Amino acid sequence: MLVVNRRAGERVYVGEDVVITVCATRRGHVRLGIAAPPEVRILREELSDHSLSSSEAPPSPLLATALPIAAAAS
């Protein structure tokens, strides 16, 4: 596991297609923005018990929506 320190407004790049931005930190909470291609599935930990490869289950409304990288940079 890679552990990094970031301040609000700073970014971490994962590969060429995923950008994680620290939007805010407050009282032990961190707000992250994630820009990724639509085919990259982003799932919060509390929902990770569901199989990501299951095509039978309908998509959860609690899944995060990834913005295209160009839109996130604006």
Side-chain angles (χ1 to χ4, degrees):
M1 173 188 312
L2 172 66
V3 178
V4 295
N5 291 319
R6 300 278 79 196
R7 292 188 173 125
E10 294 182 329
R11 296 181 174 151
V12 174
Y13 295 88
V14 181
E16 295 182 14
D17 296 335
V18 179
V19 180
I20 301 171
T21 303
V22 178
C23 297
T25 58
R26 182 175 50 229
R27 291 183 250 137
H29 291 270
V30 177
R31 176 167 240 162
L32 300 175
I34 303 170
E39 65 271 9
V40 174
R41 206 161 175 193
I42 301 169
L43 192 63
R44 296 189 327 248
E45 180 183 22
E46 63 269 23
L47 300 175
S48 66
D49 291 334
H50 300 289
S51 172
L52 294 177
S53 62
S54 173
S55 60
E56 297 174 15
S60 168
L62 300 176
L63 287 175
T65 301
L67 296 175
I69 290 177
S74 321

